[in-house]
Amino acid sequence: MTDERDGQPRVPVVGMVGAGQLARMTAQAAISLGVGFRVLADTAADSAARVCADVQVGDYTALPDLLDFAKGCDVVTFDHEHVPGQHLAELERAVAVRPGPGALRYTQDKLAMRGRLTQLGVPCPRYQPVSDLAGVSAFAADAGWPVVLKAVSGGYDGRGVWMCETPDEAAEVLAHGVAVFAEEHIDYDRELAVLAARSPHGQAAVYPVVQTVQRDGICHEVLAPAPRLRARQALQAQRLVLEIAAELEVTGLLAVELFETPRGLLLVNELAMRPHNSGHWTIEGARTSQFEQHLRAVLDLPLGTPGAVAPQVVMANVFGGSDPHVYERYLHVMAADPGVKLHLYGKGVRPGRKIGHVTALGDDVDELRARAGRAARYLATGED
Amino acid sequence: MTDERDGQPRVPVVGMVGAGQLARMTAQAAISLGVGFRVLADTAADSAARVCADVQVGDYTALPDLLDFAKGCDVVTFDHEHVPGQHLAELERAVAVRPGPGALRYTQDKLAMRGRLTQLGVPCPRYQPVSDLAGVSAFAADAGWPVVLKAVSGGYDGRGVWMCETPDEAAEVLAHGVAVFAEEHIDYDRELAVLAARSPHGQAAVYPVVQTVQRDGICHEVLAPAPRLRARQALQAQRLVLEIAAELEVTGLLAVELFETPRGLLLVNELAMRPHNSGHWTIEGARTSQFEQHLRAVLDLPLGTPGAVAPQVVMANVFGGSDPHVYERYLHVMAADPGVKLHLYGKGVRPGRKIGHVTALGDDVDELRARAGRAARYLATGED
């Protein structure tokens, strides 16, 4: 808690490990709530480090840096899931860590996640730990090709998921020596995501189910709510996520990515326990943004209303192009569409790098996709 | 403009003189837009200085401090109107100053403001420069008692407006030796406010007309839009403010406070050229917040849609009580009303000091006033 001087209210300090755009947008929410907010940044040029008053530059893989960062924090939370598990356990002796190591384990070890969800009866793709090509082939004999190989933790070349069409392709992945497991390839209709928040005292709140539109495994658009989703399915997905949050004792946000199959089955793909790209639409589109909700949850404050404030919201990510002059393009984008909400993260522009997002709110999903998509594309490339 | 390194986009830097809550909330908008934002603070404990990455502590009445602050800024703007006029003229040689000295003059010299508005044919209360009690009495012979005395600039004891019921009371004000003018007391039904933004290239956008509810001359509540205002009157008020913005060549925001008389006349009371308390409802209640709009205007970017996003929005100010433990009251306020939006400014709590605000959005003005009022009162006093 901060000092009380000259009538200055004591407020808790939330420390966020990582200073990317998630921390940057959490900082905005912390300003409204008037709570202290500190980030542990890799460099002073990080997205959140550029805008926060309280920045520590350090190494999140080094326990001394983490412990030093935690001093003066009331709660430590995360903008990524890469803090080593053994450090989390040590950190928890010094400060409240939310989500805790017991929950975070399931975002760091995907095999453990699959095991735990299966144990809970949560519908997931079939999976099998494999150590060699024979194991992959045995799995494929049952589940069929292609087979998805997933790194248990981390990966290589910046990837952790490989779609293998043939045994040769699987052998190539295995040759890297990274621990993997095999997963059934789901021929899904679309991908959905559900975001919930849970407090240490057990209160939970769940956002409307959204559709995520991915290209090459990267989220490009989020449609909130997911169009044409039957109410029964939406409720089922929300209940599932609340159940996972409770069973895994998540504190803070839990984002669950789902496959919707042609037969209407919902299967869990991935989990994250932090603000999530699929929730950026909540900044303008929900009564309580995911960033405010995360702060309320980790501070054990009562949660805010998660409901949407418009019939339809569409968020489109902005990816860097070859030209870094993004700001100059505001002139055109703002003039063309004065109602679209623009977010730039203050990041260096590199081709394919996520540097911002755009949100459009209204009634018609097709019109909003056109508006948000046009603005995002123009910001990225300068092409209409 | 910031440097372009490692693909880092060049973005302009907006410097705001003053680091109160208006600068603090402008900082949040600057984060979304990804533009640079710097504040000139009286102390490092100022509301905005607590949360901004780029803070200079200095004296806004000292030209060297202002010039030093302006270095590296592309535009300088203001969270208050107290920078001496002669410094503004000097500052303008070094950097774009928005609003410019020519416009700001009318917020610093109320007699000049009255003169200019009268010249433009804008309806105002009758007024008269006075230098002694004989002048006041002569004015009262025509306009009647009570007479309002207004300091031309500044005032004393933290006030600049005095309602005088009798010649004795007027004499007491005059005895302080502050330059004043006499103004007709308007027996108004209610107070309204209109907020507009204007860019250097002349684009303008106007927000819905709001009602401000004042007690002892201090704004307690804002009702957006003003209930039961006839469309014709609303349009007239908006046109009036757009005309004033254009004629005074305002860049950035212009807030105009109006009296509505029992006969439906609208008379201009005060002007401000900065984000304004009567516009805090726009953070959640309008498609473009006043803070984002001010940045867009002073950066000469196309303006955003000013329209409201809910049928009715109510904002209630939070005033400090005797107990500084405001944060602890979040538990009750958030549990009682998970949909109300809370803003604390990180300011020391002193009785009567504005330390935050609360916004409620919905359909029914009475219900929203009850909700926002209850939350604001509880945060201030701990009483339900």
Side-chain angles (χ1 to χ4, degrees):
Chain A
M1 302 286 269
T2 56
D3 281 352
E4 182 178 341
R5 288 184 200 141
D6 186 30
Q8 192 63 39
R10 287 190 304 253
V11 293
V13 177
V14 176
M16 188 168 260
V17 176
Q21 63 262 29
L22 302 179
R24 181 179 171 109
M25 292 184 271
T26 309
Q28 290 175 287
I31 293 174
S32 292
L33 292 179
V35 298
F37 188 69
R38 172 183 299 177
V39 292
L40 181 60
D42 291 343
T43 78
D46 287 2
S47 176
R50 291 175 173 274
V51 299
C52 286
D54 191 354
V55 179
Q56 184 171 322
V57 174
D59 179 358
Y60 62 80
T61 68
L63 185 58
D65 284 15
L66 289 166
L67 290 172
D68 193 39
F69 175 68
K71 278 178 202 156
C73 289
D74 296 271
V75 180
V76 168
T77 188
F78 308 92
D79 116 322
H80 59 67
E81 42 275 297
H82 306 314
V83 176
Q86 71 273 21
H87 292 354
L88 293 172
E90 285 294 322
L91 196 59
E92 207 177 27
R93 295 170 196 236
V95 68
V97 176
R98 293 173 185 164
L104 277 172
R105 181 184 167 217
Y106 299 107
T107 66
Q108 299 184 325
D109 181 334
K110 290 187 184 177
L111 192 54
M113 182 267 278
R114 279 280 175 256
R116 185 82 171 97
L117 293 186
T118 302
Q119 188 186 36
L120 293 172
V122 171
C124 293
R126 281 178 289 173
Y127 74 100
Q128 181 68 48
V130 291
S131 52
D132 54 22
L133 191 57
V136 177
S137 295
F139 180 75
D142 185 34
W145 293 94
V147 163
V148 177
L149 291 183
K150 285 189 170 177
V152 171
S153 188
Y156 62 84
D157 293 347
R159 295 174 60 191
V161 179
W162 300 270
M163 169 91 83
C164 302
E165 300 283 348
T166 63
D168 280 357
E169 287 182 20
E172 200 183 316
V173 172
L174 292 166
H176 282 83
V178 169
V180 298
F181 62 100
E183 201 170 87
E184 162 190 29
H185 169 66
I186 302 295
D187 193 20
Y188 55 83
D189 270 356
R190 59 175 174 174
E191 292 184 70
L192 304 174
V194 186
L195 191 64
R198 185 177 170 277
S199 305
H201 76 279
Q203 191 195 2
V206 62
Y207 286 91
V209 180
V210 303
Q211 178 178 344
T212 62
V213 181
Q214 322 257 338
R215 285 176 220 145
D216 302 323
I218 293 162
C219 175
H220 276 248
E221 276 180 290
V222 173
L223 319 179
R228 298 173 302 280
L229 187 67
R230 278 173 292 171
R232 192 181 53 76
Q233 273 184 305
L235 195 62
Q236 180 199 338
Q238 290 179 310
R239 280 188 179 148
L240 189 70
V241 172
L242 289 172
E243 187 194 334
I244 295 171
E247 291 287 349
L248 269 44
E249 297 185 47
V250 176
T251 48
L253 291 174
L254 170 68
V256 177
E257 299 177 49
L258 301 157
F259 295 127
E260 185 183 15
T261 72
R263 298 175 61 185
L265 279 178
L266 300 179
L267 303 175
V268 170
N269 180 23
E270 301 280 356
L271 302 185
M273 295 178 192
R274 50 169 171 75
H276 194 256
N277 196 175
S278 69
H280 291 357
W281 68 274
T282 61
I283 296 175
E284 296 92 2
R287 181 60 64 231
T288 309
S289 83
Q290 65 166 342
F291 302 101
E292 177 182 343
Q293 197 76 299
H294 188 67
L295 289 170
R296 287 165 81 136
V298 301
L299 287 167
D300 211 9
L301 290 169
L303 299 177
T305 305
V309 300
Q312 185 72 53
V313 186
V314 172
M315 190 277 328
N317 283 324
V318 179
F319 296 95
S322 53
D323 178 349
H325 299 102
V326 181
Y327 174 78
E328 287 78 353
R329 299 195 192 118
Y330 269 174
L331 284 170
H332 175 80
V333 169
M334 289 179 173
D337 191 340
V340 81
K341 302 313 299 175
L342 305 169
H343 297 261
L344 285 183
Y345 302 152
K347 291 163 73 172
V349 176
R350 292 196 297 269
R353 190 185 201 196
K354 209 184 290 172
I355 58 168
H357 76 267
V358 169
T359 305
L361 301 97
D363 295 298
D364 181 72
V365 69
D366 294 325
E367 180 211 320
L368 296 173
R369 289 183 76 174
R371 285 175 55 198
R374 193 187 309 129
R377 195 167 52 246
Y378 191 88
L379 281 176
T381 65
E383 285 164 28
D384 225 345
Chain B
M1 303 284 270
T2 58
D3 282 351
E4 183 178 339
R5 287 181 202 147
D6 186 31
Q8 191 65 39
R10 288 189 305 252
V11 292
V13 177
V14 176
M16 188 169 259
V17 176
Q21 62 263 28
L22 301 179
R24 181 180 171 107
M25 292 184 272
T26 308
Q28 290 175 287
I31 294 174
S32 291
L33 292 180
V35 298
F37 188 70
R38 172 183 298 176
V39 292
L40 180 61
D42 291 343
T43 79
D46 287 2
S47 177
R50 291 175 172 275
V51 299
C52 286
D54 191 355
V55 179
Q56 184 169 320
V57 174
D59 178 359
Y60 62 79
T61 67
L63 184 59
D65 284 15
L66 289 166
L67 290 172
D68 194 39
F69 175 68
K71 279 178 199 154
C73 289
D74 296 272
V75 180
V76 168
T77 187
F78 308 92
D79 116 321
H80 59 66
E81 43 275 297
H82 306 314
V83 176
Q86 71 273 24
H87 292 354
L88 292 172
E90 285 294 321
L91 197 58
E92 208 178 25
R93 296 170 196 237
V95 68
V97 176
R98 295 175 183 161
L104 277 172
R105 180 184 169 216
Y106 299 107
T107 67
Q108 298 185 326
D109 180 334
K110 290 187 186 178
L111 192 53
M113 182 266 280
R114 279 279 174 258
R116 185 83 170 96
L117 293 186
T118 302
Q119 189 185 35
L120 293 172
V122 170
C124 293
R126 281 179 288 175
Y127 73 100
Q128 181 69 48
V130 292
S131 52
D132 54 23
L133 191 56
V136 177
S137 296
F139 180 76
D142 185 34
W145 292 94
V147 163
V148 178
L149 292 182
K150 286 189 171 178
V152 172
S153 188
Y156 62 85
D157 293 347
R159 294 173 61 190
V161 179
W162 300 269
M163 168 92 81
C164 303
E165 301 283 349
T166 62
D168 280 357
E169 287 180 21
E172 199 181 316
V173 172
L174 292 167
H176 282 85
V178 168
V180 297
F181 62 98
E183 201 170 89
E184 161 191 28
H185 169 66
I186 302 295
D187 194 20
Y188 55 83
D189 269 355
R190 58 175 174 174
E191 292 183 71
L192 304 175
V194 186
L195 191 64
R198 186 176 169 278
S199 305
H201 76 280
Q203 191 196 3
V206 62
Y207 286 91
V209 181
V210 303
Q211 178 179 345
T212 62
V213 181
Q214 321 257 340
R215 286 177 220 144
D216 302 324
I218 292 162
C219 175
H220 276 247
E221 274 181 291
V222 173
L223 320 180
R228 298 173 304 281
L229 186 67
R230 278 173 291 171
R232 193 182 52 76
Q233 272 184 304
L235 195 61
Q236 181 199 336
Q238 289 178 311
R239 280 189 179 149
L240 189 71
V241 173
L242 289 173
E243 187 194 334
I244 296 171
E247 291 286 350
L248 270 44
E249 296 184 47
V250 176
T251 48
L253 291 173
L254 170 69
V256 177
E257 299 178 49
L258 301 157
F259 296 127
E260 185 184 14
T261 72
R263 298 175 62 185
L265 280 178
L266 300 179
L267 303 174
V268 170
N269 180 22
E270 301 279 356
L271 302 185
M273 295 178 193
R274 51 169 170 74
H276 194 256
N277 196 174
S278 69
H280 291 357
W281 68 274
T282 61
I283 296 175
E284 296 92 1
R287 180 61 65 231
T288 308
S289 82
Q290 67 166 339
F291 303 101
E292 178 183 342
Q293 198 76 300
H294 187 67
L295 288 171
R296 288 165 81 136
V298 301
L299 286 167
D300 209 10
L301 289 168
L303 300 177
T305 304
V309 300
Q312 186 72 54
V313 185
V314 172
M315 190 274 332
N317 283 325
V318 178
F319 297 94
S322 53
D323 178 351
H325 299 105
V326 181
Y327 175 79
E328 287 77 353
R329 300 194 191 119
Y330 268 174
L331 284 170
H332 176 79
V333 169
M334 289 179 174
D337 191 340
V340 81
K341 303 312 300 174
L342 306 169
H343 297 260
L344 285 183
Y345 303 152
K347 290 163 72 172
V349 176
R350 291 196 297 268
R353 188 185 202 196
K354 209 184 291 174
I355 57 167
H357 76 267
V358 169
T359 305
L361 301 97
D363 294 297
D364 182 72
V365 68
D366 295 326
E367 180 211 320
L368 296 173
R369 289 184 75 173
R371 285 175 56 198
R374 193 187 310 128
R377 194 167 54 246
Y378 191 88
L379 281 176
T381 64
E383 284 163 30
D384 224 346

